[in-house]
Amino acid sequence: MIIPMQQVVIATRKRGSEAVIAALQDAGVLHLKPITGGPLSTGNLVGADAQSRREDERLLARVESTIAELGSYRPAPAPLPAEGQWAELIEAAAQPVATLARARQELQADLDAEAAYGDAVRALARLSGGLDRSRRLATLPFVLQPTDNLAELDAALQTELSDRYALATETVGQNRVGLVAVRRSERDQARAALSRVRLGELRLPGRFDGMGLSDAAAEMERIARTGTARLGELTAERDQLAQAHAPVLFALRDALKDRVAIHDVRAVSARGKYSLALQGYVPADRLGALERALAPFGTGVSYEVHPVDEHHDDLVPVELKNNSYVKPFQTVMGLMTPPKYGTFDPTWVVALFFPLFFGIIMADIGYGLLFLAFGMWLLGKAKRNEGWDLSFFGAYVPPATLRDLGYVTNVMAAWTILWGFLTGEFFGTLLEHLHFFYINPGLLDRLWGWTGLTFPVDPYKAEHGYYKGFIPIVFPRLETGYFSNVALIFALLFGILQVLWGWGIRIQQGLKHKDPLHTWEGIALFGGVFGLIMMAFATRAGKDFGAFTNFSDPRVLLMYLGFAAFVIGWLRVIKHFPLLPIELLSQGGAVVSYARIFAVGLVSAILAKLCTDLGWSLAENIGFLGIIIGIVLGLVLHFLVLALTLIGHVLQPLRLHMVEFLNPTGFNADSSPRYNPLRRLSPAQGQVK
């Protein structure tokens, strides 16, 4: 749910405003809203306030650049030094760290240059035979691609220089390097010949550009021998500096961010000669914290609290509050912008249906156990207060996020395992081969006979024990010959539910906000989609259009009722939405989109079945060796299939929620800022958080 907000206006003396703002930081509940216009000053600070802000921002930038050069994450908290020592401590750390960072950067550049050009430069140095040091001769190195013709270059040089040149080449890797030696006075003619055959003189990067080939080769040889070890030494020095300075630097960074935040508050407030006024929002359940923070100032602070206008105020921040099951799924919803204040929080819908859809798609006990193990691993790291360093993605996942992701993964795993029991799949058909799961035609007739299906008994399968086992399969999606239509309709039922639900929410929100335009739009499309659904059922998906006149069928009456609602609603909003009939067809397609739950899941099941059947076939036909090969091959294939399809299996349920379900609600059209209260980052003077 979206937490109700209260709007707050605070006025205080300008002289004591820093203490008031610091108290608001300690309370950590006020989301600020800038004040613009009016008789008081707003916007950028001036005079001494501006100078103080520039100095604090300079120190903060210096601290943050030093922390970045150290490459360390937040260590254990450290006491905050006295304010008078801040600049001195920052410089004492920044200077050696910057020097070391430059040395590491230069060495890394040398290592990169050696890796890219080392072999070529050494070959060119051998070809030059010391001529690159000659005062009378010039050497022009170049690289030949496999498709380049050396004869063309030789002809071009002959045209420009007759016989006054020497040309040599050597193969390096997949390419060839070459060298042209000419008199210094004829260097330009040699370059022109290279250019004529679309070759350029090889230029080395960085500091190697001005070196001769022999010197560059010797330097690169030295770098190849000692560079990696030297880089390790510099990294060890950086780690020592991080241990010595990082705790204090992080404490100073937090304190400076708090100081800069105070300047920011003044900048978004209204300032007079003797007074300062600010406004913002506070969650209704945290007004007590605000009152306690301002109480010590007595008459020095005046504030007023009143309800927000959720119908017209677009800047009301949003914070979500959900129960312990739903709350971790707010991390998933964090991929989207927050809902508009005063509307609908879809987190609990995502928490209910997203893992369910994922479970229906995967529906494999073996895969579910793998997800469960991964979820428990994430929760274990979070419990130990460890983050996950994804440096190859340039990301770091903090423990709190890991805790939510682990919880969500475990819920997805639970649904996957449950549906795996219903479909009888364990790494595909492994347990079916072992007769743990089996097809029971009589049971399936009793469960699904109401759909008109009859499950045939294959004499060959019956003879080979296909219909015997321990646990019967109740949702045999792999029996595509007779169960596919049932599985498809089952998936489409979710589309019918969610698309109609989405337009129902649009109607409810329109009535709540007294918005007739969106109310009638919702009525039109709810009725139109409902009419299309009834038409599909009444005509058996278009096979019997004679059903349109069968008024004894209640589905036909409901179809006409839905289309009537669409026509009435469209006529009410035709000025604003003249193409609503096209949108109706689009929404019909949105219902059909839920077929991907069936289609993607069936593809996943077939791939898993093929992986297991291949391994099982090897075991049956080759014997003991076949068992070993089958197990190894099956595991490898299952891993590849899971790795290649997992992202799609996660994104498909998300897409159904974010597009097909949430578009009708208006969630993607409007949003509000996230609740981001003013908070203190640093501890009190001389204390550790």
Side-chain angles (χ1 to χ4, degrees):
M1 62 171 286
I2 299 175
I3 297 179
M5 291 283 174
Q6 296 285 306
Q7 189 166 9
V8 180
V9 179
I10 302 171
T12 185
R13 299 185 185 96
K14 191 174 183 180
R15 183 179 57 188
S17 61
E18 182 170 345
V20 174
I21 297 171
L24 293 173
Q25 285 179 320
D26 291 332
V29 296
L30 178 64
H31 177 103
L32 288 167
K33 176 184 177 182
I35 297 177
T36 57
L40 299 179
S41 298
T42 58
N44 295 332
L45 301 176
V46 296
D49 290 339
Q51 178 61 33
S52 176
R53 176 173 187 164
R54 283 193 294 270
E55 178 62 17
D56 288 338
E57 288 179 337
R58 183 190 69 82
L59 291 175
L60 177 58
R62 187 73 162 153
V63 169
E64 290 189 324
S65 64
T66 304
I67 290 174
E69 289 171 342
L70 285 173
S72 61
Y73 296 111
R74 181 179 290 275
L80 180 65
E83 185 175 342
Q85 301 176 344
W86 289 6
E88 180 182 350
L89 289 171
I90 291 171
E91 286 304 315
Q95 291 180 10
V97 170
T99 301
L100 182 62
R102 282 194 299 271
R104 292 185 76 254
Q105 185 178 11
E106 292 169 359
L107 179 56
Q108 186 62 58
D110 286 349
L111 287 168
D112 293 341
E114 194 282 327
Y117 295 94
D119 292 339
V121 169
R122 285 186 281 273
L124 289 167
R126 289 193 298 270
L127 291 175
S128 71
L131 290 178
D132 58 300
R133 294 194 176 100
S134 172
R135 295 183 178 181
R136 300 181 59 189
L137 298 177
T139 55
L140 282 72
F142 59 90
V143 176
L144 282 167
Q145 303 296 328
T147 57
D148 292 331
N149 190 336
L150 185 62
E152 292 182 359
L153 174 60
D154 197 24
L157 289 168
Q158 187 70 30
T159 301
E160 292 285 343
L161 299 167
S162 297
D163 294 325
R164 301 185 306 279
Y165 71 93
L167 174 63
T169 64
E170 182 176 323
T171 300
V172 177
Q174 296 182 349
N175 300 318
R176 284 180 295 169
V177 295
L179 193 69
V180 178
V182 297
R183 291 185 296 186
R184 283 187 177 274
S185 59
E186 294 180 325
R187 179 187 295 174
D188 290 340
Q189 289 94 316
R191 286 174 174 165
L194 287 171
S195 177
R196 187 180 302 171
V197 294
R198 297 175 299 280
L199 292 175
E201 183 179 359
L202 176 64
R203 304 297 297 269
L204 298 178
R207 67 188 183 92
F208 300 101
D209 187 31
M211 293 184 182
L213 290 172
S214 299
D215 295 337
E219 183 64 11
M220 287 189 177
E221 186 66 29
R222 183 191 65 80
I223 292 168
R225 288 195 317 269
T226 64
T228 302
R230 179 56 182 158
L231 185 62
E233 293 173 1
L234 293 177
T235 301
E237 291 180 31
R238 186 185 66 173
D239 293 341
Q240 291 175 359
L241 287 173
Q243 291 177 1
H245 297 290
V248 173
L249 288 175
F250 273 95
L252 290 174
R253 186 183 72 171
D254 291 345
L256 286 166
K257 281 188 174 182
D258 288 339
R259 289 273 294 272
V260 170
I262 290 175
H263 298 307
D264 290 340
V265 172
R266 287 173 171 162
V268 300
S269 303
R271 306 179 301 276
K273 186 175 182 180
Y274 302 107
S275 62
L276 180 141
L278 56 151
Q279 66 177 351
Y281 301 94
V282 177
D285 58 355
R286 294 170 218 173
L287 277 175
L290 178 72
E291 294 169 351
R292 289 190 296 273
L294 298 179
F297 298 98
T299 58
V301 174
S302 177
Y303 63 94
E304 178 181 299
V305 179
H306 55 84
V308 300
D309 183 358
E310 65 181 35
H311 304 296
H312 302 99
D313 193 340
D314 294 330
L315 296 178
V316 181
V318 165
E319 185 177 32
L320 305 179
K321 182 179 181 180
N322 291 291
N323 60 41
S324 58
Y325 170 77
V326 176
K327 187 175 180 180
F329 287 87
Q330 291 177 193
T331 300
V332 178
M333 293 302 298
L335 300 172
M336 305 285 289
T337 56
K340 184 175 176 59
Y341 182 81
T343 59
F344 169 69
D345 172 21
T347 309
W348 69 272
V349 180
V350 173
L352 178 62
F353 286 99
F354 165 67
L356 171 61
F357 290 173
F358 179 83
I360 296 173
I361 290 173
M362 295 301 294
D364 189 291
I365 299 171
Y367 290 165
L369 292 174
L370 293 179
F371 291 129
L372 182 62
F374 179 62
M376 296 305 295
W377 179 78
L378 292 176
L379 290 176
K381 288 183 73 68
K383 187 176 181 179
R384 296 189 298 271
N385 201 33
E386 297 176 3
W388 191 6
D389 183 10
L390 299 173
S391 54
F392 51 91
F393 288 132
Y396 174 78
V397 185
T401 304
L402 285 184
R403 185 177 299 108
D404 290 343
L405 291 177
Y407 179 90
V408 171
T409 302
N410 283 347
V411 176
M412 294 162 64
W415 279 112
T416 301
I417 293 171
L418 174 61
W419 276 95
F421 274 101
L422 297 178
T423 60
E425 295 172 28
F426 182 93
F427 291 116
T429 53
L430 178 60
L431 291 186
E432 195 171 349
H433 283 297
L434 296 172
H435 299 290
F436 185 85
F437 289 112
Y438 73 102
I439 295 292
N440 185 332
L443 175 64
L444 292 176
D445 279 339
R446 292 192 295 274
L447 286 175
W448 300 102
W450 59 274
T451 65
L453 291 180
T454 300
F455 292 84
V457 176
D458 187 328
Y460 176 82
K461 291 182 178 180
E463 181 182 348
H464 288 78
Y466 185 74
Y467 300 122
K468 297 178 182 179
F470 182 63
I471 297 179
I473 298 171
V474 299
F475 196 84
R477 63 176 178 176
L478 281 170
E479 301 296 324
T480 54
Y482 54 82
F483 197 72
S484 290
N485 287 340
V486 173
L488 175 61
I489 296 300
F490 176 76
L492 291 178
L493 289 176
F494 290 109
I496 294 171
L497 170 65
Q498 288 204 336
V499 174
L500 289 178
W501 189 3
W503 285 112
I505 292 171
R506 174 59 69 94
I507 296 171
Q508 181 265 333
Q509 291 295 315
L511 293 172
K512 176 182 177 181
H513 294 284
K514 298 179 175 59
D515 183 354
L517 179 65
H518 287 123
T519 300
W520 283 108
E521 179 197 14
I523 291 173
L525 287 173
F526 182 94
V529 172
F530 183 75
L532 289 176
I533 293 167
M534 290 298 103
M535 182 176 70
F537 279 110
T539 63
R540 293 185 299 156
K543 294 180 181 178
D544 181 17
F545 286 106
F548 283 139
T549 58
N550 183 11
F551 294 103
S552 62
D553 187 343
R555 295 173 298 184
V556 174
L557 297 177
L558 291 173
M559 175 190 72
Y560 285 118
L561 180 63
F563 287 146
F566 171 76
V567 172
I568 294 171
W570 181 36
L571 292 176
R572 297 297 299 265
V573 299
I574 192 171
K575 180 179 178 182
H576 300 278
F577 302 113
L579 300 180
L580 208 60
I582 297 177
E583 177 63 21
L584 173 60
L585 297 178
S586 173
Q587 290 302 306
V591 173
V592 177
S593 289
Y594 283 76
R596 65 187 70 216
I597 297 175
F598 158 72
V600 175
L602 182 59
V603 169
S604 173
I606 291 174
L607 289 174
K609 179 180 185 297
L610 290 174
C611 295
T612 297
D613 287 355
L614 177 60
W616 190 269
S617 177
L618 289 172
E620 284 186 328
N621 292 295
I622 303 180
F624 179 76
L625 180 60
I627 294 175
I628 302 300
I629 297 175
I631 291 174
V632 173
L633 183 61
L635 289 175
V636 170
L637 291 176
H638 274 293
F639 174 78
L640 290 175
V641 167
L642 191 59
L644 293 173
T645 60
L646 179 59
I647 294 178
H649 295 162
V650 173
L651 292 181
Q652 292 297 346
L654 278 178
R655 182 192 182 281
L656 292 174
H657 285 87
M658 301 304 177
V659 179
E660 272 72 17
F661 173 63
L662 289 180
N663 267 347
T665 68
F667 176 90
N668 295 320
D670 295 304
S671 66
S672 291
R674 295 185 189 278
Y675 173 64
N676 184 25
L678 179 68
R679 285 195 179 101
R680 176 176 292 280
L681 298 176
S682 61
Q685 185 77 11
Q687 295 181 357
V688 179
K689 285 192 288 188

